[in-house]
Amino acid sequence: MGFEPRIVGFLCNWCSYTGADLAGTSRIKYQPNVSVIRVMCSARIDPTFVLKALATGADGVIVCGCHPGDCHYSEGNYKTMRRFPLLKKMLKDFGVEEDRVRLEWVSASEGQRFSEVINEMTDKVRALGPSRIRISLDADKVER
Amino acid sequence: MDKKKLQIALYWGAACGGCDVAVLDTNEFILDVAAACDIRMWPIAADGKYKDIEAMADGELDLAIFNGAIRTSENEHIAKLLRKKSKTMVAFGSCAHLGGIPAMANQFNKEEIFEKAYLKNPSIQEGNAAVPTPHTRVEAGELEIPVFYKRVYKLDDIVDVDYYLPGCPPAPEQVKAVLKLIVSGGPLPAKGSVVGASDRALCDDCQRKKEEKMVKQFHRPWQILQDPERCLMEQGILCAGSATRSGCGVRCPNSNMPCRGCYGPLPGVVDQGAKILSAVSSIIDSKDPAEIEKILEGIQDITGYAYRFGMAASLLQRSVR
Ligand code: SF4
Ligand code: SF4
């Protein structure tokens, strides 16, 4: 059997989670590799969460929030917009491939788009293969 | 050996020597320590051979103070040996606590490090490049040097640690306070505690004026004339104060330099670098992705900045390249 990636998806309650819900109620099919964690706002995603997901075995992490200007808390997603590129720069230094971590804006009415984003993300991470982070952290414990 | 005296050893792993100097910086107080204790080993200041430590009974030492990270098999061997022979073990300084500066090398793999240091270093003479190997045969016999590990570890990755005394190096007043407590036989804090530091953030103790923190441009400290009264972050100079434990006496901002985070994460924080990264990104004054990218160009090395001292203690710990 081929490799099936495990992806953690952090979805903001007001737009993206509702968008994912819409995909469900509309019976739009998409790949089942993403484990969704609902958060109140994309700004709640401390970079620690992304690092922790990767360090504990996720092959990819996707964060979805409201489109700029649409944040339920008016400015939260701008904080995410500022934080994410810096996090991506840092992950690059750690040797984490660019496509493993992604930020997308998905609104409550974009069920179709949600399914496309997830399919694209899943395909990309599948093509990258398993993340080496967890594996190498375990190896470090026995082999110096 | 005087049985009534406290039996102690101080040792350095992968370290710069600054931690030992910080102990000596307690000035004449160190004489009180010497009077109250038998210093059984301290490579920088006293004698004591590995074989003397090996010959000790388990638990014979009351206290081992270990500074430096674990980079080589020698570091690991002595850390384990001292652990076995000591009742209490203290990780002293940022390197033993979190990996410190040596752990920044975890951004690179062993091959890259060897290439840079031993093969392509500009100071190497033509034809003289050589990579160290643990065993070398020479006419006189076989030479053995420690194995250089693939990455750097913090002390508690290797052995059980009782207390952590943070700082690069720990502030002499804090060293003194901790040593005083130990020498006086006073009640010690709970095992695993960070000692010689506070539970507040450095910003809480920093006297600089804090107003509105939003910037269009980041600067390195030497690139601008700073206002010595005002928060450095507000002036676009990266400062790790909000994500760093206080206790050093606000040494850097008081000397017009930003905090680099050497006292480590605040209580309860999992990954100091992630917090530093959050703090930095939170002051970017823009809502436009292209402009944000442009502003971020002013930051030379976010990874080295966020994990200057905490790479080995971070969630990712090292590069997977
Ligand atoms: S960010 Fe730095 S300069 Fe500003 S208040 Fe905190 S410690 Fe002081
Ligand atoms: S200001 Fe920061 S970097 Fe400087 S000594 Fe204090 S904790 Fe360490």
Side-chain angles (χ1 to χ4, degrees):
Chain A
M1 226 183 81
F3 161 68
E4 280 304 324
R6 283 192 292 176
I7 299 171
V8 174
F10 292 104
L11 272 48
C12 102
N13 179 54
W14 305 100
C15 298
S16 310
Y17 190 86
T18 316
D21 219 17
L22 180 64
T25 48
S26 319
R27 294 177 175 267
I28 302 169
K29 281 195 178 163
Y30 57 89
Q31 300 182 61
N33 301 60
V34 178
S35 305
V36 168
I37 297 175
R38 173 159 61 157
V39 291
M40 290 311 281
C41 175
S42 63
R44 180 65 184 91
I45 325 286
D46 187 312
T48 309
F49 300 175
V50 178
L51 299 177
K52 180 119 191 204
L54 292 170
T56 47
D59 298 302
V61 177
I62 183 160
V63 171
C64 299
C66 309
H67 285 269
D70 287 351
C71 176
H72 183 78
Y73 307 103
S74 82
E75 297 264 317
N77 51 2
Y78 289 117
K79 298 195 192 309
T80 308
M81 182 196 270
R82 292 166 194 142
R83 202 183 277 155
F84 224 75
L86 201 56
L87 177 62
K88 292 210 72 161
K89 269 182 206 264
M90 201 180 85
L91 287 172
K92 200 171 160 198
D93 291 337
F94 275 101
V96 178
E97 301 92 333
E98 164 113 48
D99 286 339
R100 288 205 192 274
V101 176
R102 180 167 177 172
L103 169 65
E104 284 291 341
W105 311 123
V106 175
S107 81
S109 61
E110 291 177 323
Q112 183 61 40
R113 195 177 122 72
F114 179 78
S115 71
E116 286 161 16
V117 163
I118 295 303
N119 278 334
E120 205 183 294
M121 172 82 186
T122 309
D123 288 344
K124 281 189 168 163
V125 179
R126 187 182 291 111
L128 284 173
S131 162
R132 293 190 45 240
I133 298 169
R134 178 76 251 164
I135 301 164
S136 21
L137 288 181
D138 284 344
D140 284 357
K141 291 195 186 113
V142 282
E143 191 209 344
R144 310 240 192 268
Chain B
M1 181 176 77
D2 181 344
K3 281 263 186 234
K4 287 186 297 294
K5 284 187 171 183
L6 224 50
Q7 304 298 307
I8 69 170
L10 294 94
Y11 188 77
W12 50 9
C16 69
C19 277
D20 284 311
V21 175
V23 176
L24 293 169
D25 270 348
T26 55
N27 298 330
E28 54 294 337
F29 173 73
I30 197 68
L31 299 174
D32 298 348
V33 174
C37 309
D38 259 348
I39 300 179
R40 303 285 292 274
M41 173 159 84
W42 189 7
I44 203 174
D47 205 4
K49 302 270 182 280
Y50 292 174
K51 65 172 172 30
D52 302 335
I53 303 287
E54 278 157 14
M56 287 177 187
D58 290 358
E60 182 171 329
L61 290 169
D62 294 296
L63 172 71
I65 296 178
F66 193 104
N67 73 71
I70 308 296
R71 166 90 272 179
T72 68
S73 53
E74 182 188 26
N75 303 150
E76 175 170 13
H77 172 67
I78 304 295
K80 286 186 168 160
L81 188 62
L82 284 171
R83 176 68 274 187
K84 217 165 129 220
K85 306 294 181 185
S86 317
K87 293 191 190 75
T88 303
M89 191 148 189
V90 175
F92 186 103
S94 305
C95 300
H97 179 205
L98 306 167
I101 299 279
M104 285 178 84
N106 284 3
Q107 278 182 79
F108 310 95
N109 60 40
K110 184 173 168 179
E111 290 66 40
E112 288 171 308
I113 294 169
F114 273 18
E115 184 172 297
K116 189 91 178 176
Y118 299 114
L119 299 175
K120 301 246 170 88
N121 194 309
S123 67
I124 293 167
Q125 276 178 334
E126 280 264 319
N128 231 354
V131 165
T133 48
H135 300 276
T136 313
R137 272 219 77 81
V138 291
E139 246 171 70
E142 184 159 283
L143 297 178
E144 192 189 342
I145 58 168
V147 180
F148 186 97
Y149 286 161
K150 289 196 206 129
R151 51 164 287 199
V152 171
Y153 297 85
K154 58 186 163 42
L155 185 61
D156 70 5
D157 289 332
I158 305 296
V159 295
D160 191 36
V161 168
D162 297 298
Y163 300 110
Y164 303 86
L165 180 56
C168 179
E173 316 79 70
Q174 298 282 23
V175 175
K176 203 165 143 177
V178 171
L179 287 178
K180 243 188 185 144
L181 181 71
I182 292 169
V183 170
S184 72
L188 297 175
K191 183 181 154 83
S193 299
V194 171
V195 294
S198 105
D199 284 349
R200 290 187 305 273
L202 189 78
C203 289
D204 294 334
D205 291 335
C206 177
Q207 297 303 311
R208 285 175 178 255
K209 258 207 299 302
K210 301 147 192 125
E211 284 155 344
E212 180 62 26
K213 276 194 182 61
M214 289 307 267
V215 302
K216 286 268 184 214
Q217 206 186 343
F218 289 108
H219 313 279
R220 307 188 85 179
W222 49 269
Q223 286 173 322
I224 54 161
L225 271 180
Q226 57 158 283
D227 174 348
E229 307 281 308
R230 199 166 164 227
C231 167
L232 291 156
M233 278 286 247
E234 292 176 12
Q235 302 180 61
I237 298 171
L238 301 186
C239 182
S242 65
T244 301
R245 196 188 267 274
S246 188
C248 64
V250 200
R251 282 189 289 198
C252 301
N254 284 350
S255 317
N256 297 332
M257 285 300 282
C259 171
R260 291 111 197 278
C262 80
Y263 265 60
L266 283 151
V269 168
V270 176
D271 190 299
Q272 187 188 15
K275 293 294 179 194
I276 293 176
L277 187 138
S278 282
V280 169
S281 57
S282 71
I283 64 167
I284 298 169
D285 185 13
S286 174
K287 291 181 178 175
D288 168 51
E291 192 187 25
I292 291 170
E293 277 297 336
K294 186 108 199 60
I295 296 173
L296 288 177
E297 281 169 20
I299 300 174
Q300 301 296 317
D301 173 13
I302 184 60
T303 307
Y305 176 71
Y307 294 109
R308 195 189 302 259
F309 299 97
M311 182 71 96
S314 70
L315 282 163
L316 299 185
Q317 299 176 29
R318 64 163 179 114
S319 158
V320 288
R321 278 184 298 158

